[in-house]
Amino acid sequence: MIQKILSLFILSVMMKKANAQFDSTHLAEKNKEIVFASDTQAPMWVETLWLKANNNREATKSIFNHIIHKNPQSVFLLGDVVSLGYSNKQWKPIDEKLEKLRHNGVKVYAVLGNHEVMGQSNKGQQKFQQRFPDHNKTGYVQVIDSIAVIMLNSNFNQLSDLENREQVNWYKNTLDKLDADSSVQFIITGCHHSPYTNSKIVGCSKPVQEKFVPHYLHSAKSRLFLSGHCHNFEHYKIQGKDFIVIGGGGGLHQPLKTGDGSLPDLSIDYKPMFHYLTVKLVNNELNVQSIALEADKNSFKDGFTFNIAHEKPETLAKNN
């Protein structure tokens, strides 16, 4: 009898140890992911006059909870984190989520959107900087698992002429350095305003096209350009390079132009109302996947996904 009890005890200890090892391995695998989200701001009343609300605050809450559960390496927020940057009330629910992420050891970075500088711009930027101290309004970079993420400020009217020039020069020089750095495999660029979008509400950002896109296209390791501002999901291919709009963090869903005159969207059949993006290295390729919130506002499903090879595109090789 004693021998049987002892055997059961030993078996129980072994199973617990095996489960602990499995959980640790599983967690480590998830930690390889980098998460990107944009436009998590709560809807403003005036926006509901022409766009339909759909439990947007609950959607944002669910997205953050899902990201917290994933426990990724890092989270990058591409602007419009809140609807009014100067408002403590608007920051309060976001602060709770940021605290949980950081408590779990997750690094969180962000760039300014137009809502952070809306109204009382200086106060909004000050509150933003307090929450994201790594942020630099003329651009900054973080390297994670041989993936360099460059965050740029597309609120050009909030920058002086000198600051605008500094940012563009910094971006170009940083791309050159990262292209020459053997420890970096891929470069991702992120900003708030989308250079390419079919949105009927905001449209393409010509300044982003002029200031950032040429340097991105010229850079050998730059393979993914992420943006928000348009509250939808879009995927474009320009000169062999990928551009993705991921403005599904909780803002009011925006309608898109279709048919004649619209840009060729590679995700034409994938338009989730709320979503975020994960990126990770898989066999030396960049795996990009959209995670979509289901209609119940609680569950999620894997959505639009594709891989980006390490080799630089033919078009870029010809240009060089």
Side-chain angles (χ1 to χ4, degrees), residues 7 12 16 22 25 47 64 71 74 123 153 157 163 184 195 232 240 243 249 252 260 265 268 309:
S7 297
S12 174
K16 286 181 179 180
F22 172 79
T25 303
E47 294 175 307
F64 271 111
N71 197 33
S74 300
K123 189 175 180 180
N153 186 359
N157 60 352
E163 288 170 333
V184 173
N232 215 311
F243 293 78
L252 299 177
D260 294 342
D265 185 355
I268 194 67

Side-chain angles (χ1 to χ4, degrees), residues 2-13:
I2 295 176
Q3 186 176 3
K4 183 176 181 180
I5 293 174
L6 183 60
S7 297
L8 288 172
F9 173 76
I10 293 172
L11 179 62
S12 174
V13 170

